[in-house]
Amino acid sequence: MKITAIETFLVAPRWLFLKVSTDEGISGWGEPVVEGRAETVRAAVHELSELLIGQDPLRIEDHWQVLRRGGFYRGGPVLSSALAGFDHALWDIAGKVRNAPVHELLGGPVRDRVRVYSWVGGDRPAGIREAVAAQVEAGFTAVKMNVAGPLAAIASPAEADAAVARAWEAREALGPHRDLAIDFHGRVSPAMARRLVRMLEDVQPMFVEEPVLPETQGDALRAVVEASTVPIAVGERLYSRWEFKPVLDAGVAVVQPDPSHAGGISELRRIGALAEMYGASLAPHCPLGPISLAASLQVAFATPNFLIQEQSAGMHYHDGREHGYLVDPSVFAFQDGYAARPLKPGLGIEVDEAAVRRADEIGHAWRSPVWRHDDGSFAEW
């Protein structure tokens, strides 16, 4: 079998899909994208494709090594995301060739269903109690929310109290038997993060996510970890196992590699194994489209130290299209807050190629918001 063609599709609301075709008529799909930089990743995909045309798609690990290490300059969000999309597609092909879901090729399932959580509240969290109640009614047993909108390096007592009050609204709507995750989104300075995690202890979050920016991790992250008993999670802006080791050394409880950013299924699997050595859990970051979620679930079913899966249903960026472009979206019909084990070959989904090609004719130009503080200075989104 040989790879004959590699195509990319820019599809709304903010995704990039990849199709790898072979001379035996078996194709695989991937989702290589950096939110807000889809066109940049698209260029990287086509640049890397020259390394794969004419090659055997089943040599997945060899291709992973060449795609990552074949250039003198390597890594980073763009190249790692391009690599991730190829990795999804090659595993998809391998599963279809062997008539098995990818998780069976990874050693088989270690669980019967995968717990998922849902987002509430938006970028500037509001209406938390009602939003959480709706997710509870829908059967979810866990939700995640942003801690606040833009925050000053040292927020006022009123701002800090408001963030904690919103968390309490969510906790009261969830009750003691469901879980709340709180995302700091890198909006919080190290000093303020230490204060806020202490203030949130009584809320008992499942974890606090990305308390500081990735570039200020290390000693700053360790200080946040040591400031309270709240489990700390990081990883959506880390792109390889080498970048995860320092944060595990700092004591984080949960790692969150993104299947579309951190080298795909192959690297998520290795990051999960690395975290297992530290007693940490894997909770993949996944606010993107259906191919990314399908890839992530395959890893979740085969990873012993998996905790919970992010998914984008109801996320405000997606306008209800989070499971679009599938022939049968019911594959993501969650029951009581869990995803069923996918049994179809490959990634377990069938992409509606005609719909994808129509969407690509329109494309998109989604960009991350640019925020400013009251004084006009740049604020972290």
Side-chain angles (χ1 to χ4, degrees):
M1 185 187 297
K2 303 296 182 187
I3 295 171
T4 55
I6 292 166
E7 301 173 89
T8 54
F9 307 91
L10 200 64
V11 297
R14 57 178 187 164
W15 307 329
L16 182 70
F17 292 170
L18 162 68
K19 181 185 179 185
V20 175
S21 300
T22 70
D23 59 356
E24 293 189 11
I26 297 174
S27 59
W29 289 85
E31 191 170 339
V33 67
V34 173
E35 299 93 305
R37 296 288 183 265
E39 300 98 320
T40 310
V41 180
R42 188 179 211 176
V45 167
H46 288 286
E47 187 175 86
L48 290 171
S49 65
E50 64 192 47
L51 296 169
L52 290 182
I53 295 294
Q55 300 296 313
D56 177 358
L58 299 182
R59 297 186 61 177
I60 298 173
E61 183 59 29
D62 184 61
H63 294 318
W64 194 96
Q65 296 293 333
V66 170
L67 289 169
R68 176 176 169 83
R69 300 166 64 192
F72 185 74
Y73 299 98
R74 56 190 68 163
V78 173
L79 292 175
S80 296
S81 297
L83 167 58
F86 281 120
D87 192 71
H88 301 161
L90 297 181
W91 278 108
D92 195 23
I93 290 170
K96 291 171 180 175
V97 167
R98 296 179 172 92
N99 195 33
V102 168
H103 66 268
E104 291 190 4
L105 306 185
L106 297 176
V110 296
R111 56 184 48 82
D112 299 321
R113 57 181 186 164
V114 158
R115 191 181 183 205
V116 300
Y117 65 82
S118 187
W119 267 91
V120 296
D123 276 336
R124 290 178 168 90
I128 296 297
R129 191 183 302 274
E130 297 79 8
V132 171
Q135 296 303 327
V136 170
E137 181 67 22
F140 288 97
T141 62
V143 299
K144 187 167 80 175
M145 58 180 280
N146 281 311
V147 66
L151 275 179
I154 306 297
S156 69
E159 289 176 299
D161 288 342
V164 176
R166 282 190 293 270
W168 271 114
E169 284 186 54
R171 169 53 66 207
E172 289 164 1
L174 286 164
H177 300 295
R178 300 181 184 88
D179 282 309
L180 171 66
I182 300 176
D183 191 355
F184 281 22
H185 216 250
R187 298 171 185 170
V188 182
S189 70
M192 201 65 215
R194 294 195 299 274
R195 176 177 292 176
L196 277 175
V197 292
R198 287 175 180 162
M199 294 174 70
L200 288 165
E201 276 193 318
D202 288 344
V203 180
Q204 296 190 56
M206 178 166 55
F207 56 76
V208 160
E209 176 176 334
E210 205 175 36
V212 295
L213 289 167
E215 55 265 35
T216 58
Q217 288 173 0
D219 290 343
L221 180 61
R222 183 184 294 276
V224 175
V225 170
E226 294 174 350
S228 81
T229 61
V230 174
I232 300 300
V234 299
E236 70 181 84
R237 288 188 272 187
L238 303 177
Y239 309 112
S240 72
R241 75 200 93 146
W242 297 279
E243 294 176 60
F244 274 91
K245 185 180 184 301
V247 302
L248 286 161
D249 287 337
V252 301
V254 182
V255 294
Q256 299 175 295
D258 189 299
S260 281
H261 302 328
I265 290 168
S266 296
E267 192 69 350
L268 251 67
R269 178 84 161 142
R270 290 186 280 254
I271 292 166
L274 175 63
E276 188 178 9
M277 293 174 60
Y278 287 80
S281 298
L282 178 74
H285 179 260
C286 191
L288 291 167
I291 303 172
S292 185
L293 178 58
S296 199
L297 287 172
Q298 296 293 338
V299 175
F301 273 100
T303 302
N305 55 322
F306 167 82
L307 177 66
I308 196 166
Q309 176 66 57
E310 181 174 30
Q311 53 83 36
S312 65
M315 187 171 282
H316 51 296
Y317 307 121
H318 295 164
D319 301 324
R321 291 173 288 189
E322 51 274 347
H323 302 327
Y325 310 109
L326 296 182
V327 172
D328 180 14
S330 69
V331 67
F332 297 136
F334 306 125
Q335 182 69 35
D336 298 326
Y338 285 83
R341 186 161 71 92
L343 301 177
K344 293 181 179 179
L347 295 181
I349 56 174
E350 183 179 354
V351 174
D352 185 343
E353 186 169 337
V356 169
R357 291 186 181 279
R358 287 194 300 270
D360 182 56
E361 292 175 0
I362 301 170
H364 70 82
W366 191 89
R367 297 290 182 266
S368 299
V370 174
W371 283 0
R372 294 193 178 275
H373 291 296
D374 291 341
D375 65 359
S377 62
F378 177 81
E380 290 287 346
W381 169 64

